[in-house]
Amino acid sequence: MLSAQDMQEAAAHGRSVKAIYVYEAPVRLWHWVNALAITILAITGYFIGSPLPSMPGEASQHFAMGYIRFAHFAAGYVLLVGFLGRIYWAFVGNQHARQLFKLPIFNPRWWREVLFELRWYLFLEPDPKKYVGHNPLAQLSMFFMVTLTMVFMICTGFALYGEGAQDGSWAHTVFTSWVIPLFGQSQDVHTWHHLGMWVMVLFVMLHVYAAVREDIMSRQSMVSTMLSGWRLFKDDKP
Amino acid sequence: MTETFYEVMRRQGITRRSFIKFCSLTAASLGLGPSYVGRIANAMETKPRTPVIWLHGLECTCCSESFIRSAHPLAKDVVLSMLSLDYDDTLMAAAGHQAEAIIAEIKAKYKGNYILAVEGNPPLNEDGMFCIHGGRPFVEVLKETAADAKAVIAWGACASWGCVQAAKPNPTRATPIDKVISGKPIVKVPGCPPIAEVMTAVVTYMLTFDRIPELDRQGRPKMFYGQRIHDKCYRRPHFDAGQFVEAWDDEAARKGYCLYKMGCKGPTTYNACSTTRWNDGVSFPIQSGHGCIGCSEDGFWDKGSFYDRLTGINQFGIEANADKVGATAAGVVGAAVAAHAAVSALKRGRLEQSDGDNK
């Protein structure tokens, strides 16, 4: 890692590095917009699968399911546009912007650090390491639980959306036309889309816990880094 | 020379006026403009009847039952004659060797020029011995007959997807016909059974235009399978309003609210029931107060209960579905996180203590 090297060199020259700018503004903005979109998508999605109790009266007086579905679709569009923007930023942003999309799987040192992080979480390592970007274990879990899950949810989600938008709509052309035949029929796509939501819920639970825990127990800032972009280090040791 | 459709119709006492009415109705049901009425009439007047061989594999004959109930009288009385349905085990008068000889005769006489309609599917286990047709495994007869056909129609869920005999664990290895026949255009007309008017319209389209209708990726005619039941359901306003039947005997059921929560498969089923309806347009399942069971969808027997909204995931227990599996996983992870947090806090507490001691 270049920045880690920079840091070591800086340390070797007798200068301590207190803070490094890691997450650029578009990455931070995406993170929070995405978090909001996922929250709305998970809640509305749950209520699409298990709707709220019925309301009495004329159908023309209500639009409950309509509003819930509208919120779901709107948040879905936000998620899609955000994701495309995030992919763009992976190309033009700094190296940390690429961590979500590229795993250094051929780097043995990276794998050793994954193992180290696992041991740290299993209380087998007394002291944590310093990382500028994501720690390798976090990167691994984000790649599988965020990047891949999001791709899966976008494909299945917009395939289901395209069913309602119907033949000729962009969603039908781009997603529905191949996703539904791939699964065989629409019912299975619904089920898998639903399971994908729960994978995302599991990720959010682990993610929030790990971020808060590391903020307290690691040697660098976590939560505030996603607000300010600056990674602050708590000590001068390498 | 075989008679034209028009000649057959006239011979059967159909007036010119009724004939033209039939043509306009057919044009309308195929979604074509009025200018096509003349073309349909012209085709019927001039084209020799296309012979159709109708084979039956593993099936329940509900497709045939539906077909002969095609609402429009002309469809019932004439489409059968107009088809020149030369072979159909359940409808023809001939029997035994006499009947089987007809297949050979048509194959030779109309090589590459007849339509093969298949109801049911071939089982492949035990060399196809679970379905015997004229003393031979059905799969052999099917392959042979398809070899010289112009096009193949897969009637119903059996021929299209496999249906109940292909439901897990599928002991006879019943296989949809498109997995057995290669190199021929196959039109899938799924449903258990398909709607009568859809069946007659598909046949009429193929005879009139001499080509198969436009198909979607899964081989179904777009004109009848392009939309879901849900998209044209007359109870859709109740869905959008969030008004659902919660139990079969509640007030909402009497008022005709949406059957979504009762497991209606309308939102995932592509068919024309909510537009064409059944039995001369009298009704369709949802209109009769029961949810759609998704009978025209691939593997509809294996997608859990007809009365569940969310498909059961039985690997995790017979009552499980995506939400129960997900919530359980979330509970386990939540407990793990809580335990991990507790241990972390203890560790940190001890660390701070020892730090304090050092100072």
Side-chain angles (χ1 to χ4, degrees), chain A residues 46 48-49 51-52 54-55 57 59 63 65-66 121 123 163-164 166 184-188 190-191 194 198 205 209 213, chain B residues 217-218 227-228 231 239-240 243-244 246 260-261 268 270 297-298 303 309 311 323 326 330 334 337 340-341 343-344 347-348:
Chain A
Y46 181 83
I48 291 172
L52 295 159
S54 307
M55 279 176 289
F63 198 54
M65 200 68 176
Y121 277 105
F123 307 104
E163 289 194 291
Q166 304 202 353
Q185 23 60 45
S186 169
Q187 187 75 24
D188 279 348
H190 280 85
T191 305
H194 221 102
W198 283 105
M205 292 170 72
Y209 170 64
R213 180 181 191 268
Chain B
R217 279 247 177 129
Q218 282 155 297
Q227 286 184 313
R228 299 169 299 171
D231 295 321
F239 171 82
D240 288 329
Q243 295 178 315
F244 302 102
E246 313 271 349
Y260 185 78
K261 282 190 179 178
T268 53
Y270 288 81
E297 288 297 309
D298 192 0
K303 301 295 167 247
R309 173 76 259 138
T311 301
D323 274 353
V337 163
H340 199 271
V343 176
S344 301
K347 181 186 171 189
R348 184 160 181 83

Short mmCIF file of all heavy atoms in Angstrom, two decimals, chain A residues 46 48-49 51-52 54-55 57 59 63 65-66 121 123 163-164 166 184-188 190-191 194 198 205 209 213, chain B residues 217-218 227-228 231 239-240 243-244 246 260-261 268 270 297-298 303 309 311 323 326 330 334 337 340-341 343-344 347-348:
data_model
loop_
_atom_site.label_atom_id
_atom_site.label_comp_id
_atom_site.label_asym_id
_atom_site.label_seq_id
_atom_site.Cartn_x
_atom_site.Cartn_y
_atom_site.Cartn_z
N TYR A 46 -39.53 -4.93 2.96
CA TYR A 46 -40.15 -5.86 3.89
C TYR A 46 -41.67 -5.73 3.84
O TYR A 46 -42.40 -6.72 3.82
CB TYR A 46 -39.65 -5.62 5.32
CG TYR A 46 -40.26 -6.58 6.30
CD1 TYR A 46 -39.73 -7.85 6.47
CD2 TYR A 46 -41.40 -6.23 7.02
CE1 TYR A 46 -40.31 -8.76 7.33
CE2 TYR A 46 -41.99 -7.13 7.89
CZ TYR A 46 -41.44 -8.39 8.04
OH TYR A 46 -42.03 -9.29 8.89
N ILE A 48 -43.43 -4.66 1.37
CA ILE A 48 -43.99 -5.12 0.10
C ILE A 48 -44.23 -6.63 0.18
O ILE A 48 -45.25 -7.14 -0.27
CB ILE A 48 -43.06 -4.77 -1.08
CG1 ILE A 48 -43.05 -3.26 -1.31
CG2 ILE A 48 -43.51 -5.48 -2.36
CD1 ILE A 48 -42.02 -2.79 -2.30
N GLY A 49 -43.30 -7.34 0.83
CA GLY A 49 -43.46 -8.78 0.97
C GLY A 49 -44.52 -9.14 2.02
O GLY A 49 -45.28 -10.09 1.83
N PRO A 51 -47.33 -7.02 3.66
CA PRO A 51 -47.96 -5.70 3.77
C PRO A 51 -48.59 -5.42 5.12
O PRO A 51 -48.91 -6.34 5.88
CB PRO A 51 -49.04 -5.74 2.68
CG PRO A 51 -48.65 -6.85 1.77
CD PRO A 51 -47.93 -7.84 2.62
N LEU A 52 -48.76 -4.13 5.40
CA LEU A 52 -49.41 -3.67 6.63
C LEU A 52 -50.88 -4.10 6.63
O LEU A 52 -51.42 -4.46 5.58
CB LEU A 52 -49.32 -2.13 6.70
CG LEU A 52 -47.91 -1.58 6.81
CD1 LEU A 52 -47.87 -0.13 6.37
CD2 LEU A 52 -47.41 -1.72 8.24
N SER A 54 -54.85 -4.08 6.39
CA SER A 54 -55.68 -3.33 5.44
C SER A 54 -56.38 -2.16 6.11
O SER A 54 -56.64 -2.17 7.30
CB SER A 54 -56.75 -4.25 4.85
OG SER A 54 -56.16 -5.39 4.32
N MET A 55 -56.70 -1.16 5.28
CA MET A 55 -57.49 -0.04 5.78
C MET A 55 -58.87 -0.12 5.15
O MET A 55 -59.01 -0.47 3.99
CB MET A 55 -56.81 1.27 5.41
CG MET A 55 -55.68 1.61 6.37
SD MET A 55 -54.82 3.08 5.88
CE MET A 55 -53.96 2.53 4.44
N GLY A 57 -62.65 1.23 3.79
CA GLY A 57 -63.07 2.32 2.93
C GLY A 57 -62.85 2.04 1.47
O GLY A 57 -62.41 0.96 1.09
N ALA A 59 -61.25 2.01 -2.18
CA ALA A 59 -59.87 1.89 -2.65
C ALA A 59 -59.32 3.23 -3.11
O ALA A 59 -58.15 3.53 -2.96
CB ALA A 59 -59.80 0.87 -3.78
N PHE A 63 -53.69 4.87 -0.90
CA PHE A 63 -52.64 4.51 -1.85
C PHE A 63 -51.46 3.96 -1.06
O PHE A 63 -50.31 4.17 -1.42
CB PHE A 63 -52.27 5.74 -2.69
CG PHE A 63 -51.53 5.40 -3.96
CD1 PHE A 63 -52.06 4.50 -4.86
CD2 PHE A 63 -50.30 5.99 -4.24
CE1 PHE A 63 -51.39 4.18 -6.04
CE2 PHE A 63 -49.63 5.68 -5.41
CZ PHE A 63 -50.17 4.78 -6.31
N MET A 65 -50.08 0.94 -0.40
CA MET A 65 -49.12 0.06 -1.08
C MET A 65 -48.42 0.82 -2.19
O MET A 65 -47.24 0.62 -2.44
CB MET A 65 -49.90 -1.14 -1.64
CG MET A 65 -49.07 -2.34 -1.93
SD MET A 65 -48.41 -3.10 -0.45
CE MET A 65 -47.62 -4.51 -1.18
N GLY A 66 -49.17 1.70 -2.85
CA GLY A 66 -48.59 2.51 -3.92
C GLY A 66 -47.45 3.38 -3.41
O GLY A 66 -46.38 3.44 -4.02
N TYR A 121 -9.94 -10.18 15.99
CA TYR A 121 -11.35 -10.24 16.37
C TYR A 121 -11.66 -11.43 17.27
O TYR A 121 -12.64 -11.44 17.98
CB TYR A 121 -12.26 -10.27 15.13
CG TYR A 121 -12.50 -8.90 14.58
CD1 TYR A 121 -11.87 -8.45 13.43
CD2 TYR A 121 -13.37 -8.03 15.23
CE1 TYR A 121 -12.08 -7.18 12.94
CE2 TYR A 121 -13.60 -6.75 14.75
CZ TYR A 121 -12.95 -6.33 13.60
OH TYR A 121 -13.17 -5.08 13.14
N PHE A 123 -9.77 -12.24 19.65
CA PHE A 123 -9.03 -11.90 20.89
C PHE A 123 -7.72 -12.67 21.01
O PHE A 123 -7.23 -12.90 22.11
CB PHE A 123 -9.90 -12.17 22.13
CG PHE A 123 -11.23 -11.51 22.08
CD1 PHE A 123 -12.37 -12.23 21.80
CD2 PHE A 123 -11.35 -10.14 22.28
CE1 PHE A 123 -13.61 -11.60 21.74
CE2 PHE A 123 -12.58 -9.52 22.22
CZ PHE A 123 -13.71 -10.25 21.95
N GLU A 163 -40.69 -5.81 -14.59
CA GLU A 163 -41.91 -6.57 -14.84
C GLU A 163 -43.13 -5.67 -14.79
O GLU A 163 -44.04 -5.79 -15.60
CB GLU A 163 -42.08 -7.65 -13.76
CG GLU A 163 -41.11 -8.78 -13.86
CD GLU A 163 -41.57 -9.94 -13.00
OE1 GLU A 163 -41.53 -9.83 -11.77
OE2 GLU A 163 -41.97 -10.96 -13.58
N GLY A 164 -43.14 -4.76 -13.82
CA GLY A 164 -44.25 -3.82 -13.73
C GLY A 164 -44.17 -2.75 -14.81
O GLY A 164 -45.18 -2.36 -15.38
N GLN A 166 -42.92 -3.15 -17.62
CA GLN A 166 -43.30 -3.90 -18.82
C GLN A 166 -42.35 -3.80 -20.00
O GLN A 166 -41.46 -2.96 -20.05
CB GLN A 166 -44.72 -3.54 -19.26
CG GLN A 166 -45.70 -3.77 -18.12
CD GLN A 166 -47.11 -3.96 -18.57
OE1 GLN A 166 -47.42 -3.82 -19.73
NE2 GLN A 166 -47.97 -4.31 -17.65
N GLY A 184 -35.75 -18.76 -14.12
CA GLY A 184 -36.85 -19.63 -14.52
C GLY A 184 -38.19 -18.92 -14.47
O GLY A 184 -38.95 -18.98 -15.41
N GLN A 185 -38.45 -18.25 -13.36
CA GLN A 185 -39.68 -17.46 -13.27
C GLN A 185 -39.51 -16.40 -12.19
O GLN A 185 -38.51 -16.35 -11.49
CB GLN A 185 -40.91 -18.33 -13.00
CG GLN A 185 -40.69 -19.69 -12.36
CD GLN A 185 -40.04 -19.60 -11.02
OE1 GLN A 185 -40.42 -18.77 -10.22
NE2 GLN A 185 -39.05 -20.42 -10.77
N SER A 186 -40.54 -15.58 -12.09
CA SER A 186 -40.46 -14.38 -11.26
C SER A 186 -40.46 -14.69 -9.75
O SER A 186 -39.81 -14.00 -8.96
CB SER A 186 -41.65 -13.50 -11.63
OG SER A 186 -41.81 -12.46 -10.73
N GLN A 187 -41.16 -15.74 -9.35
CA GLN A 187 -41.30 -16.06 -7.92
C GLN A 187 -39.95 -16.28 -7.26
O GLN A 187 -39.69 -15.79 -6.17
CB GLN A 187 -42.20 -17.29 -7.76
CG GLN A 187 -42.56 -17.64 -6.33
CD GLN A 187 -43.60 -16.70 -5.72
OE1 GLN A 187 -44.37 -16.08 -6.44
NE2 GLN A 187 -43.61 -16.58 -4.42
N ASP A 188 -39.07 -17.02 -7.94
CA ASP A 188 -37.74 -17.28 -7.37
C ASP A 188 -36.92 -16.00 -7.29
O ASP A 188 -36.12 -15.83 -6.37
CB ASP A 188 -36.99 -18.31 -8.22
CG ASP A 188 -37.42 -19.73 -7.89
OD1 ASP A 188 -38.13 -19.90 -6.88
OD2 ASP A 188 -37.07 -20.65 -8.64
N HIS A 190 -38.11 -13.07 -6.70
CA HIS A 190 -38.61 -12.42 -5.47
C HIS A 190 -37.93 -13.01 -4.24
O HIS A 190 -37.47 -12.28 -3.37
CB HIS A 190 -40.12 -12.63 -5.33
CG HIS A 190 -40.94 -11.71 -6.17
ND1 HIS A 190 -41.24 -11.96 -7.49
CD2 HIS A 190 -41.53 -10.53 -5.89
CE1 HIS A 190 -41.98 -10.98 -7.96
NE2 HIS A 190 -42.17 -10.10 -7.03
N THR A 191 -37.88 -14.34 -4.16
CA THR A 191 -37.32 -15.00 -2.98
C THR A 191 -35.85 -14.65 -2.80
O THR A 191 -35.41 -14.31 -1.70
CB THR A 191 -37.50 -16.52 -3.10
OG1 THR A 191 -38.88 -16.81 -3.32
CG2 THR A 191 -37.04 -17.24 -1.84
N HIS A 194 -35.32 -11.13 -1.72
CA HIS A 194 -35.65 -11.05 -0.31
C HIS A 194 -34.47 -11.53 0.56
O HIS A 194 -34.13 -10.90 1.57
CB HIS A 194 -36.85 -11.97 -0.06
CG HIS A 194 -37.84 -11.40 0.86
ND1 HIS A 194 -39.01 -10.83 0.46
CD2 HIS A 194 -37.83 -11.32 2.21
CE1 HIS A 194 -39.68 -10.41 1.50
NE2 HIS A 194 -38.99 -10.70 2.58
N TRP A 198 -31.70 -9.61 3.45
CA TRP A 198 -31.25 -10.06 4.76
C TRP A 198 -29.72 -10.13 4.84
O TRP A 198 -29.14 -9.87 5.90
CB TRP A 198 -31.88 -11.41 5.11
CG TRP A 198 -33.31 -11.25 5.55
CD1 TRP A 198 -34.42 -11.55 4.81
CD2 TRP A 198 -33.78 -10.69 6.78
NE1 TRP A 198 -35.55 -11.22 5.52
CE2 TRP A 198 -35.19 -10.69 6.73
CE3 TRP A 198 -33.14 -10.19 7.91
CZ2 TRP A 198 -35.97 -10.22 7.78
CZ3 TRP A 198 -33.92 -9.71 8.95
CH2 TRP A 198 -35.33 -9.73 8.88
N MET A 205 -25.41 -4.82 10.44
CA MET A 205 -25.18 -5.11 11.86
C MET A 205 -23.69 -5.25 12.16
O MET A 205 -23.16 -4.64 13.11
CB MET A 205 -25.91 -6.41 12.25
CG MET A 205 -27.42 -6.29 12.23
SD MET A 205 -28.22 -7.89 12.43
CE MET A 205 -27.89 -8.21 14.15
N TYR A 209 -21.27 -2.41 14.16
CA TYR A 209 -20.58 -2.89 15.36
C TYR A 209 -19.07 -2.76 15.21
O TYR A 209 -18.39 -2.22 16.09
CB TYR A 209 -20.97 -4.34 15.65
CG TYR A 209 -20.10 -4.95 16.73
CD1 TYR A 209 -20.14 -4.43 18.02
CD2 TYR A 209 -19.25 -6.01 16.45
CE1 TYR A 209 -19.33 -4.96 19.02
CE2 TYR A 209 -18.43 -6.54 17.45
CZ TYR A 209 -18.48 -6.02 18.73
OH TYR A 209 -17.68 -6.53 19.71
N ARG A 213 -16.63 -0.44 17.40
CA ARG A 213 -15.63 -1.15 18.21
C ARG A 213 -14.22 -0.69 17.84
O ARG A 213 -13.41 -0.40 18.73
CB ARG A 213 -15.77 -2.65 17.99
CG ARG A 213 -14.76 -3.47 18.79
CD ARG A 213 -14.95 -4.95 18.49
NE ARG A 213 -14.19 -5.78 19.42
CZ ARG A 213 -12.94 -6.20 19.18
NH1 ARG A 213 -12.33 -5.86 18.07
NH2 ARG A 213 -12.31 -6.96 20.06
N ARG B 217 -38.34 -14.53 -24.42
CA ARG B 217 -37.11 -15.32 -24.22
C ARG B 217 -37.39 -16.74 -23.79
O ARG B 217 -36.57 -17.63 -23.97
CB ARG B 217 -36.23 -14.65 -23.15
CG ARG B 217 -35.44 -13.51 -23.67
CD ARG B 217 -33.96 -13.83 -23.66
NE ARG B 217 -33.21 -12.74 -24.22
CZ ARG B 217 -32.17 -12.17 -23.62
NH1 ARG B 217 -31.76 -12.63 -22.47
NH2 ARG B 217 -31.54 -11.18 -24.19
N GLN B 218 -38.54 -16.94 -23.16
CA GLN B 218 -38.86 -18.27 -22.66
C GLN B 218 -39.74 -19.04 -23.63
O GLN B 218 -40.28 -20.08 -23.28
CB GLN B 218 -39.51 -18.17 -21.28
CG GLN B 218 -38.47 -17.92 -20.21
CD GLN B 218 -39.04 -17.24 -18.99
OE1 GLN B 218 -39.51 -16.11 -19.06
NE2 GLN B 218 -39.01 -17.91 -17.86
N GLN B 227 -47.78 -9.93 -20.30
CA GLN B 227 -48.11 -9.20 -19.07
C GLN B 227 -48.50 -10.18 -17.98
O GLN B 227 -48.95 -11.29 -18.25
CB GLN B 227 -49.29 -8.26 -19.32
CG GLN B 227 -48.91 -7.04 -20.12
CD GLN B 227 -50.10 -6.10 -20.26
OE1 GLN B 227 -51.20 -6.52 -20.58
NE2 GLN B 227 -49.87 -4.83 -20.00
N ARG B 228 -48.34 -9.70 -16.75
CA ARG B 228 -48.71 -10.55 -15.63
C ARG B 228 -50.22 -10.43 -15.37
O ARG B 228 -50.83 -9.42 -15.71
CB ARG B 228 -47.95 -10.12 -14.37
CG ARG B 228 -46.45 -10.24 -14.52
CD ARG B 228 -45.75 -9.57 -13.36
NE ARG B 228 -46.05 -8.14 -13.31
CZ ARG B 228 -45.72 -7.36 -12.32
NH1 ARG B 228 -45.07 -7.86 -11.29
NH2 ARG B 228 -46.02 -6.09 -12.34
N ASP B 231 -50.96 -7.24 -13.65
CA ASP B 231 -50.94 -5.97 -14.38
C ASP B 231 -52.33 -5.57 -14.88
O ASP B 231 -52.59 -4.39 -15.11
CB ASP B 231 -49.98 -6.06 -15.58
CG ASP B 231 -48.55 -6.24 -15.13
OD1 ASP B 231 -48.17 -5.60 -14.14
OD2 ASP B 231 -47.82 -7.02 -15.77
N PHE B 239 -55.02 -3.53 -4.32
CA PHE B 239 -53.59 -3.78 -4.05
C PHE B 239 -52.88 -2.45 -3.81
O PHE B 239 -52.18 -2.27 -2.82
CB PHE B 239 -52.95 -4.53 -5.22
CG PHE B 239 -51.45 -4.64 -5.13
CD1 PHE B 239 -50.86 -5.63 -4.36
CD2 PHE B 239 -50.62 -3.74 -5.81
CE1 PHE B 239 -49.47 -5.73 -4.27
CE2 PHE B 239 -49.24 -3.84 -5.72
CZ PHE B 239 -48.67 -4.83 -4.95
N ASP B 240 -53.07 -1.51 -4.72
CA ASP B 240 -52.38 -0.23 -4.61
C ASP B 240 -52.83 0.52 -3.35
O ASP B 240 -52.04 1.25 -2.74
CB ASP B 240 -52.65 0.63 -5.85
CG ASP B 240 -51.90 0.08 -7.06
OD1 ASP B 240 -50.83 -0.51 -6.87
OD2 ASP B 240 -52.40 0.23 -8.19
N GLN B 243 -55.34 -2.72 0.46
CA GLN B 243 -56.51 -3.40 1.05
C GLN B 243 -56.48 -4.87 0.67
O GLN B 243 -56.63 -5.21 -0.51
CB GLN B 243 -57.80 -2.74 0.54
CG GLN B 243 -57.92 -1.30 1.00
CD GLN B 243 -59.16 -0.63 0.45
OE1 GLN B 243 -59.48 -0.75 -0.72
NE2 GLN B 243 -59.88 0.09 1.31
N PHE B 244 -56.26 -5.71 1.68
CA PHE B 244 -56.04 -7.12 1.40
C PHE B 244 -57.01 -8.02 2.15
O PHE B 244 -57.43 -7.70 3.26
CB PHE B 244 -54.61 -7.51 1.80
CG PHE B 244 -53.56 -6.71 1.09
CD1 PHE B 244 -52.92 -5.67 1.75
CD2 PHE B 244 -53.24 -6.96 -0.24
CE1 PHE B 244 -51.96 -4.91 1.09
CE2 PHE B 244 -52.29 -6.21 -0.88
CZ PHE B 244 -51.65 -5.19 -0.22
N GLU B 246 -57.41 -10.93 4.50
CA GLU B 246 -56.51 -11.50 5.52
C GLU B 246 -56.89 -12.93 5.87
O GLU B 246 -56.08 -13.69 6.38
CB GLU B 246 -56.52 -10.65 6.79
CG GLU B 246 -56.39 -9.15 6.57
CD GLU B 246 -54.96 -8.67 6.54
OE1 GLU B 246 -54.06 -9.45 6.89
OE2 GLU B 246 -54.73 -7.51 6.15
N TYR B 260 -53.49 -10.78 -2.46
CA TYR B 260 -52.02 -10.83 -2.36
C TYR B 260 -51.54 -11.56 -1.10
O TYR B 260 -50.70 -12.45 -1.17
CB TYR B 260 -51.53 -9.39 -2.35
CG TYR B 260 -50.05 -9.15 -2.37
CD1 TYR B 260 -49.33 -9.25 -3.56
CD2 TYR B 260 -49.37 -8.75 -1.22
CE1 TYR B 260 -47.98 -8.98 -3.59
CE2 TYR B 260 -48.01 -8.47 -1.24
CZ TYR B 260 -47.32 -8.59 -2.43
OH TYR B 260 -45.98 -8.31 -2.45
N LYS B 261 -52.13 -11.20 0.05
CA LYS B 261 -51.68 -11.82 1.30
C LYS B 261 -52.11 -13.27 1.42
O LYS B 261 -51.60 -14.01 2.26
CB LYS B 261 -52.24 -11.05 2.51
CG LYS B 261 -51.48 -9.77 2.81
CD LYS B 261 -51.95 -9.22 4.14
CE LYS B 261 -51.21 -7.95 4.51
NZ LYS B 261 -51.70 -7.39 5.77
N THR B 268 -46.62 -12.70 -10.11
CA THR B 268 -45.45 -13.38 -10.68
C THR B 268 -45.85 -14.29 -11.84
O THR B 268 -45.06 -15.11 -12.27
CB THR B 268 -44.74 -14.24 -9.61
OG1 THR B 268 -45.71 -15.10 -8.99
CG2 THR B 268 -44.11 -13.38 -8.54
N TYR B 270 -47.30 -14.85 -15.72
CA TYR B 270 -47.55 -14.28 -17.04
C TYR B 270 -48.62 -15.11 -17.74
O TYR B 270 -48.40 -16.28 -18.05
CB TYR B 270 -46.26 -14.26 -17.87
CG TYR B 270 -45.30 -13.22 -17.38
CD1 TYR B 270 -44.48 -13.47 -16.29
CD2 TYR B 270 -45.23 -11.98 -17.98
CE1 TYR B 270 -43.61 -12.50 -15.81
CE2 TYR B 270 -44.37 -11.00 -17.53
CZ TYR B 270 -43.56 -11.27 -16.44
OH TYR B 270 -42.70 -10.31 -15.98
N GLU B 297 -46.52 -20.78 -14.83
CA GLU B 297 -45.12 -20.48 -14.55
C GLU B 297 -44.29 -21.75 -14.37
O GLU B 297 -44.79 -22.77 -13.88
CB GLU B 297 -45.01 -19.61 -13.29
CG GLU B 297 -45.49 -18.20 -13.50
CD GLU B 297 -44.65 -17.43 -14.52
OE1 GLU B 297 -43.42 -17.42 -14.40
OE2 GLU B 297 -45.25 -16.84 -15.45
N ASP B 298 -43.04 -21.65 -14.73
CA ASP B 298 -42.12 -22.78 -14.62
C ASP B 298 -42.03 -23.26 -13.16
O ASP B 298 -41.78 -22.46 -12.26
CB ASP B 298 -40.74 -22.32 -15.11
CG ASP B 298 -39.79 -23.49 -15.31
OD1 ASP B 298 -40.19 -24.63 -15.06
OD2 ASP B 298 -38.64 -23.25 -15.73
N LYS B 303 -42.91 -24.21 -5.71
CA LYS B 303 -42.67 -22.88 -5.14
C LYS B 303 -43.45 -22.69 -3.85
O LYS B 303 -44.01 -21.63 -3.58
CB LYS B 303 -43.05 -21.79 -6.16
CG LYS B 303 -42.26 -21.87 -7.45
CD LYS B 303 -40.77 -21.60 -7.22
CE LYS B 303 -39.97 -22.00 -8.45
NZ LYS B 303 -39.09 -23.14 -8.21
N ARG B 309 -47.57 -16.05 0.62
CA ARG B 309 -47.04 -14.93 -0.16
C ARG B 309 -45.56 -15.17 -0.46
O ARG B 309 -45.10 -15.05 -1.58
CB ARG B 309 -47.22 -13.63 0.63
CG ARG B 309 -46.58 -12.40 0.04
CD ARG B 309 -47.35 -11.84 -1.14
NE ARG B 309 -46.77 -12.21 -2.41
CZ ARG B 309 -47.45 -12.60 -3.46
NH1 ARG B 309 -48.75 -12.70 -3.41
NH2 ARG B 309 -46.87 -12.91 -4.58
N THR B 311 -42.32 -17.52 -0.73
CA THR B 311 -42.03 -18.91 -1.00
C THR B 311 -41.36 -19.58 0.19
O THR B 311 -40.46 -19.00 0.79
CB THR B 311 -41.10 -19.01 -2.22
OG1 THR B 311 -41.76 -18.39 -3.32
CG2 THR B 311 -40.79 -20.46 -2.57
N ASP B 323 -38.03 -14.48 5.05
CA ASP B 323 -38.03 -13.61 6.22
C ASP B 323 -37.63 -14.36 7.48
O ASP B 323 -36.89 -13.84 8.31
CB ASP B 323 -39.42 -13.00 6.42
CG ASP B 323 -39.57 -11.73 5.59
OD1 ASP B 323 -38.56 -11.30 5.00
OD2 ASP B 323 -40.68 -11.19 5.54
N GLY B 326 -33.94 -15.13 7.27
CA GLY B 326 -33.18 -13.89 7.45
C GLY B 326 -33.22 -13.41 8.88
O GLY B 326 -32.19 -13.04 9.46
N ALA B 330 -30.20 -12.94 11.44
CA ALA B 330 -29.96 -11.64 12.08
C ALA B 330 -29.91 -11.81 13.60
O ALA B 330 -29.09 -11.18 14.27
CB ALA B 330 -31.05 -10.65 11.68
N GLY B 334 -26.79 -10.95 15.76
CA GLY B 334 -26.99 -9.96 16.82
C GLY B 334 -26.47 -10.48 18.15
O GLY B 334 -25.77 -9.76 18.87
N VAL B 337 -22.74 -10.50 18.05
CA VAL B 337 -22.20 -9.14 18.20
C VAL B 337 -22.25 -8.71 19.66
O VAL B 337 -21.28 -8.17 20.20
CB VAL B 337 -23.00 -8.16 17.30
CG1 VAL B 337 -22.77 -6.72 17.74
CG2 VAL B 337 -22.62 -8.33 15.84
N HIS B 340 -19.61 -10.55 21.57
CA HIS B 340 -18.30 -10.04 21.19
C HIS B 340 -18.05 -8.69 21.84
O HIS B 340 -16.94 -8.41 22.33
CB HIS B 340 -18.23 -9.95 19.67
CG HIS B 340 -16.83 -9.89 19.14
ND1 HIS B 340 -16.17 -8.70 18.97
CD2 HIS B 340 -15.97 -10.87 18.74
CE1 HIS B 340 -14.96 -8.95 18.47
NE2 HIS B 340 -14.81 -10.25 18.33
N ALA B 341 -19.11 -7.87 21.85
CA ALA B 341 -18.97 -6.54 22.44
C ALA B 341 -18.68 -6.66 23.93
O ALA B 341 -17.85 -5.91 24.48
CB ALA B 341 -20.25 -5.73 22.21
N VAL B 343 -17.19 -9.18 25.56
CA VAL B 343 -15.82 -9.62 25.76
C VAL B 343 -14.84 -8.48 25.48
O VAL B 343 -13.88 -8.26 26.21
CB VAL B 343 -15.50 -10.85 24.89
CG1 VAL B 343 -14.05 -11.25 25.03
CG2 VAL B 343 -16.42 -12.00 25.24
N SER B 344 -15.14 -7.72 24.39
CA SER B 344 -14.27 -6.58 24.05
C SER B 344 -14.23 -5.58 25.17
O SER B 344 -13.16 -5.05 25.52
CB SER B 344 -14.79 -5.90 22.77
OG SER B 344 -14.83 -6.80 21.71
N LYS B 347 -12.12 -6.85 27.99
CA LYS B 347 -10.70 -6.80 27.64
C LYS B 347 -10.18 -5.37 27.78
O LYS B 347 -9.12 -5.13 28.35
CB LYS B 347 -10.53 -7.28 26.20
CG LYS B 347 -9.09 -7.30 25.73
CD LYS B 347 -9.00 -7.64 24.26
CE LYS B 347 -7.58 -7.43 23.76
NZ LYS B 347 -7.49 -7.55 22.31
N ARG B 348 -10.99 -4.44 27.28
CA ARG B 348 -10.58 -3.04 27.32
C ARG B 348 -10.52 -2.55 28.77
O ARG B 348 -9.61 -1.81 29.16
CB ARG B 348 -11.55 -2.19 26.51
CG ARG B 348 -11.11 -0.75 26.44
CD ARG B 348 -11.73 0.01 25.29
NE ARG B 348 -11.23 1.37 25.31
CZ ARG B 348 -10.08 1.75 24.79
NH1 ARG B 348 -9.31 0.85 24.19
NH2 ARG B 348 -9.67 2.99 24.86
#
